[in-house]
Amino acid sequence: MTARFGAGIWHFASYVDRYATDGYAEPIGMLEMIDRAGEVGDLSVVDLNYPFPGCDAPLSEVQARLAKNNLSVIGITPEMYTRRFSRGAFTNPDPGVRRAAHDLITEAAGVVRELGASYVKLWPGQDGWDYPFQVDHRKLWQMSMDGVANLASENPDLKFVIEYKPREPRVHMSYDSVSRTLLALEKINLPNIGILLDFGHALYGGESPADSAQLAIDYGRLFGMDVNDNMRSWDDDMIAGSVHPMELFEFFYVLAKNKWDGVWQLDQFPFREDTVGAAKQAIRFLRRVEKGLERLDFDAMQAAQDAQDAVTATRLASDALFGDLAN
Ligand code: FE
Ligand code: FE
């Protein structure tokens, strides 16, 4: 097994939050971000925001820059979470804004075709609610499903992935968990919509990312994944492996056991760190995970799991990941 690595291009951006409103670093445009992604050396694909931030170059120039850095595009993430969508994209009370979201995502679908990417990534971060009594929950959920269903049925040649997350920026996101997202996909019942499972979103949503992955796989919906890490109370998007190495290893164990062979993608926000360095460290850790999977005795692990033998399972996993005491 040789993992292929990717990253959301925003990994290489400079960030603003509600305190550092002047940004944590100088602003940087998409073309420069692509160069930084190239500098990492181990990335083969990127996911690009659309419209391309800080970049009005024609698509051909973006393609040339990607080619120069030996990168291809796995997904396009339409920015359906910016100011005009602050009360939702699929669920906005204004039908004109809902249409604008639909049009933006349809445009992004065109870019996916032109770049030969794998999917349109939907991150409905503004679809949800903030206050008790703010929304009619039945209507909101229906609109959340309709928005996705319309796009998927209008573009049967493309894949769409939904990246769920419990909250932020909305206090509560409509697609908040693996189970709720699967419930929608079962109901919509179209083959071209799946889940992009973000390890950190599962962690911070109180899920076991390994269990979430297994569930999404069993329902035939694991179309992509992101890794990062956090302190479990927020989407900190820290360097993969820095906080929850064992759960990350279990997550990849489940993917390997199911022969899931998608790209291992970074979705990190190195606010104060060197962005290229943060990506390199994550990949260094992921290579350890890969090595750990090679060392792991899958049959012994299965036997331990069949007996729910936590001590043996922990020994097998930790020796595989960290090396046994003799070496
Ligand atoms: Fe993500
Ligand atoms: Fe996130």
Side-chain angles (χ1 to χ4, degrees), residues 29-86:
M30 175 72 91
L31 296 174
E32 294 89 340
M33 287 187 231
I34 293 172
D35 286 339
R36 284 196 192 168
E39 257 181 74
V40 174
D42 284 310
L43 297 175
S44 49
V45 301
V46 285
D47 177 333
L48 303 180
N49 308 82
Y50 182 82
F52 303 138
C55 169
D56 42 26
L59 193 59
S60 57
E61 203 172 324
V62 174
Q63 280 174 301
R65 195 61 74 95
L66 289 161
K68 189 180 143 220
N69 286 287
N70 283 321
L71 292 167
S72 56
V73 176
I74 188 167
I76 295 289
T77 299
E79 299 202 303
M80 53 188 288
Y81 39 75
T82 52
R83 183 167 54 197
R84 75 177 156 153
F85 304 114
S86 66

Side-chain angles (χ1 to χ4, degrees), residues 90-324:
F90 296 137
T91 60
N92 200 289
D94 179 345
V97 178
R98 292 204 295 275
R99 212 170 310 116
H102 181 86
D103 292 348
L104 172 67
I105 299 164
T106 303
E107 234 178 272
V111 178
V112 166
R113 286 188 191 94
E114 281 201 60
L115 294 177
S118 306
Y119 51 70
V120 180
K121 194 186 74 201
L122 303 173
W123 186 65
Q126 303 286 10
D127 289 285
W129 62 90
D130 305 314
Y131 287 86
F133 288 101
Q134 185 172 10
V135 301
D136 176 322
H137 290 288
R138 176 187 287 156
K139 286 185 181 165
L140 194 94
W141 186 228
Q142 192 60 50
M143 284 196 279
S144 300
M145 291 192 287
D146 290 347
V148 176
N150 291 339
L151 287 157
S153 59
E154 287 166 16
N155 300 277
D157 59 316
L158 291 186
K159 281 189 190 150
F160 290 81
V161 298
I162 302 174
E163 183 171 350
Y164 69 85
K165 168 163 132 168
R167 59 186 173 279
E168 193 219 4
R170 283 324 272 265
V171 173
H172 195 113
M173 268 177 68
S174 211
Y175 287 104
D176 67 352
S177 57
V178 70
S179 43
R180 208 171 148 92
T181 308
L182 284 174
L183 208 55
L185 298 187
E186 286 287 296
K187 179 129 192 186
I188 296 169
N189 196 24
L190 288 170
N192 58 330
I193 323 170
I195 290 180
L196 186 141
L197 177 48
D198 183 307
F199 175 84
H201 295 180
L203 266 187
Y204 126 73
E207 297 174 6
S208 149
D211 172 62
S212 307
Q214 189 63 66
L215 201 63
I217 287 170
D218 288 342
Y219 281 81
R221 299 290 182 179
L222 190 68
F223 286 15
M225 58 97 141
D226 279 348
V227 289
N228 45 48
D229 215 334
N230 62 51
M231 295 295 182
R232 218 157 194 142
S233 56
W234 194 249
D235 189 23
D236 301 300
D237 284 321
M238 294 155 76
I239 297 169
S242 59
V243 190
H244 293 96
M246 263 310 185
E247 281 169 286
L248 189 70
F249 190 42
E250 190 199 13
F251 175 72
F252 281 106
Y253 162 72
V254 164
L255 297 184
K257 185 174 163 179
N258 287 277
K259 307 203 174 344
W260 190 89
D261 62 355
V263 176
W264 297 20
Q265 280 199 91
L266 307 180
D267 180 3
Q268 307 182 140
F269 277 72
F271 280 82
R272 298 170 189 79
E273 288 68 42
D274 165 48
T275 56
V276 173
K280 283 187 167 171
Q281 171 50 33
I283 291 172
R284 192 179 164 86
F285 190 82
L286 295 177
R287 291 216 188 276
R288 278 187 198 283
V289 166
E290 208 180 0
K291 184 142 240 156
L293 290 173
E294 281 162 21
R295 276 196 292 242
L296 183 67
D297 182 338
F298 278 59
D299 292 337
M301 180 59 83
Q302 188 63 55
Q305 293 187 343
D306 290 344
Q308 283 196 25
D309 180 348
V311 174
T312 302
T314 301
R315 177 175 55 74
L316 290 167
S318 64
D319 283 0
L321 182 58
F322 302 116
D324 62 35

